[in-house]
């Protein structure tokens, strides 16, 4: 994938912009359930941000229920219930 640009003039914080990109890729099937998303160093390079920003992005995605982390292994796409399921 090509490097993505962060809009620093946007009212949306960089970590949320990155999260939105990753969510879009998850929803498009680029990142599959129980498969890893790119590593933190890869995301740092791709977005040109600090490691702390990527770490905050991942925490945000975990809170939203899109990913889960496995210590020393990576961050993986979490299975999500369909909106029609209760």
């Amino acid at each position: 994938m090509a490097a993505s640009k962060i809009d620093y003039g946007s009212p949306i914080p960089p970590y949320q912009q990155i999260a939105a990109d990753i969510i879009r890729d998850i929803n498009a099937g680029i990142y599959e359930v129980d498969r890893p998303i790119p590593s933190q160093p890869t995301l740092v390079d791709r977005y040109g941000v600090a490691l702390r920003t990527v770490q905050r992005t991942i925490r945000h995605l975990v809170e939203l229920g899109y990913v889960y982390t496995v210590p020393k292994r990576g961050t993986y796409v979490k299975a999500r219930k369909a909106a029609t399921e209760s």
Side-chain angles (χ1 to χ4, degrees):
M1 283 183 207
S4 297
K5 299 288 184 194
I6 299 297
D7 180 2
Y8 289 101
S10 171
I12 300 169
Y15 79 94
Q16 288 182 352
Q17 293 179 49
I18 298 168
D21 275 357
I22 294 171
I23 290 168
R24 201 169 17 255
D25 289 345
I26 290 170
N27 290 335
I30 294 169
Y31 305 132
E32 298 174 1
V33 172
D34 291 327
R35 303 295 298 167
I37 65 170
S39 68
Q40 291 183 20
T42 299
L43 293 172
V44 166
D45 289 343
R46 181 175 295 165
Y47 291 96
V49 295
L51 179 59
R52 286 179 43 174
T53 301
V54 168
Q55 291 168 336
R56 188 166 183 193
T57 299
I58 291 170
R59 282 195 309 273
H60 184 63
L61 290 168
V62 168
E63 290 168 3
L64 294 175
Y66 280 94
V67 300
Y68 62 94
T69 59
V70 177
K72 299 185 182 192
R73 301 290 261 155
T75 303
Y76 296 80
V77 176
K78 186 176 181 178
R80 296 175 50 86
K81 291 184 178 182
T84 57
E85 293 181 30
S86 50

